[in-house]
Amino acid sequence: MDMLEAVERKIGQFIAELNDTEVAALYAKLPHGKRLRAKLILRIAGVSLPVVKTAAVVEMIHAASLLHDDVIDDAYTRRNKPSLNALYGNKTAIMLGDILYSKGFFELNNISAEVSKIISNAVVQLSLGELKDVSLSKTFNTDKDVYLEMIYQKTASLIEASAGAAAILAGKPKEPFMIYGRNLGLAFQMIDDLLDITQDSETLGKPALHDFVEGKTTLPYIYLYESLSETEREKLKAMHGKVLSKEELNWIMVQMQERQILMKCYAQARELIDEAVELMNALGEDALSEIAMEMIDREF
Ligand code: FPP
Ligand code: MG
């Protein structure tokens, strides 16, 4: 995927313009990730200067949000490597996030008013979603709609806006692309939440059932709760937000297996992807289904 090279170069140029050797060195230490948002933008809109700039800005905002998220989540690994906060401390991670974020916003102003509006609105949503995630983890949330709204804001909003911005730049109708992006984003976060349960701690680079220990009742826990008896519900509730013993961990896993909870969640994510693919097929945008599959085919 050579088109992504243009985006990497643009981000490199934006970083170089900051004229700060410390920031350049810190940025060089950041693992790139899959650049899914940039790929999505390029697939929808092709390669042109405004498109490459938009993709670069979105990836910088995304990187900033993960830098902050790892501080908020006390996460010491990111993409199987030590996170920036683990290497250099919270202060450096927060400030690098602020620098990437504000430089991104500065550059966004040079693209188009409509693109700037759609992306900046998504960042508001992203921040509201992250706060909601933090607040919800202090309670035992069993409301599926509240969870879905939170992941829409936290994760799907920026992917939805990326697709919308790309459609605007390409002169395509933005609504179907935004629905496509929204579905991809929701499915992506659902899978992320499933991986927290299915992957062993070494592969994931964080302790087993980290989300639940952190107080997050993601979709699998909501469905599990719904399927439990009153006494079992109390038992699950009592484990929430605490470090779990081996027996407790095992009990949760057995309950999940017996009730086929993970399959149910995967099927729900899959449904969103299928809907997104159908929508694109109807528009003759077959290439976009490949990206949709990438969202869902992650290591389990
Ligand atoms: C990852 O969630 C976090 C997000 C998708 C959004 C984070 C947003 C902010 C910190 C708001 C601030 C925004 C800016 C631009 C400075 P997760 O913890 O569920 O996923 P993970 O498994 O990747 O950590
Ligand atoms: Mg996190």
Side-chain angles (χ1 to χ4, degrees), residues 104-273:
F105 257 60
F106 178 75
E107 295 303 331
L108 192 56
N109 279 315
N110 299 323
I111 301 170
S112 89
E114 211 183 341
V115 167
S116 176
K117 199 169 161 181
I118 197 166
I119 300 292
S120 53
N121 176 55
V123 182
V124 175
Q125 294 305 314
L126 184 88
S127 312
L128 291 171
E130 182 80 350
L131 180 64
K132 208 166 271 176
D133 196 14
V134 169
S135 304
L136 282 174
S137 72
K138 293 174 188 154
T139 69
F140 188 87
N141 176 53
T142 56
D143 189 332
K144 188 175 107 180
D145 292 336
V146 170
Y147 164 81
L148 289 173
E149 171 73 8
M150 183 276 287
I151 68 166
Y152 165 68
Q153 289 182 299
K154 179 178 80 164
T155 305
S157 62
L158 186 60
I159 301 174
E160 174 188 65
S162 299
I168 291 166
L169 290 167
K172 294 177 177 179
K174 72 176 182 218
E175 283 75 19
F177 289 93
M178 289 183 77
I179 298 171
Y180 168 86
R182 179 178 183 277
N183 281 17
L184 256 56
L186 290 172
F188 182 84
Q189 190 60 49
M190 285 179 185
I191 299 290
D192 198 64
D193 294 344
L194 270 177
L195 289 174
D196 189 80
I197 297 168
T198 57
Q199 284 200 336
D200 63 69
S201 46
E202 248 162 71
T203 322
L204 208 57
K206 50 188 178 188
L209 307 189
H210 186 256
D211 283 344
F212 194 66
V213 172
E214 288 281 295
K216 297 182 184 185
T217 50
T218 54
L219 195 58
Y221 299 98
I222 295 175
Y223 283 149
L224 178 61
Y225 183 81
E226 282 175 2
S227 76
L228 292 175
S229 71
E230 203 50 56
T231 6
E232 291 165 332
R233 283 182 175 185
E234 289 313 312
K235 186 169 173 172
L236 183 69
K237 251 186 179 171
M239 294 175 191
H240 164 256
K242 295 192 190 109
V243 178
L244 300 171
S245 70
K246 259 215 159 82
E247 289 71 35
E248 290 172 322
L249 247 159
N250 198 46
W251 183 82
I252 294 178
M253 292 307 286
V254 167
Q255 301 308 314
M256 292 262 186
Q257 265 156 23
E258 276 178 1
R259 290 150 218 265
Q260 297 186 306
I261 300 292
L262 302 179
M263 276 312 294
K264 187 174 170 178
C265 295
Y266 182 81
Q268 198 171 333
R270 184 69 213 220
E271 226 172 86
L272 288 163
I273 293 295

Side-chain angles (χ1 to χ4, degrees), residues 10-11 13-18 57 60-61 97-110:
K10 186 51 76 186
I11 300 174
Q13 182 199 322
F14 288 160
I15 300 293
E17 283 169 13
L18 297 170
V57 164
M60 285 166 80
I61 292 170
D98 285 343
I99 292 162
L100 290 177
Y101 170 66
S102 46
K103 175 64 171 166
F105 257 60
F106 178 75
E107 295 303 331
L108 192 56
N109 279 315
N110 299 323

Side-chain angles (χ1 to χ4, degrees), residues 1-14 27 31-49 51-60 62 79 162 290-291 294:
M1 185 70 163
D2 271 333
M3 295 193 311
L4 271 183
E5 249 325 287
V7 177
E8 294 309 336
R9 274 204 302 273
K10 186 51 76 186
I11 300 174
Q13 182 199 322
F14 288 160
Y27 179 74
H32 287 179
K34 298 175 289 297
R35 300 286 196 222
L36 272 170
R37 291 154 188 81
K39 270 191 203 170
L40 185 67
I41 291 169
L42 293 168
R43 287 272 173 100
I44 294 173
V47 187
S48 70
L49 187 57
V51 171
V52 169
K53 277 187 181 173
T54 304
V57 164
V58 166
E59 289 294 343
M60 285 166 80
H62 175 58
R79 301 181 175 118
S162 299
E290 217 175 285
I291 291 188
E294 262 182 61

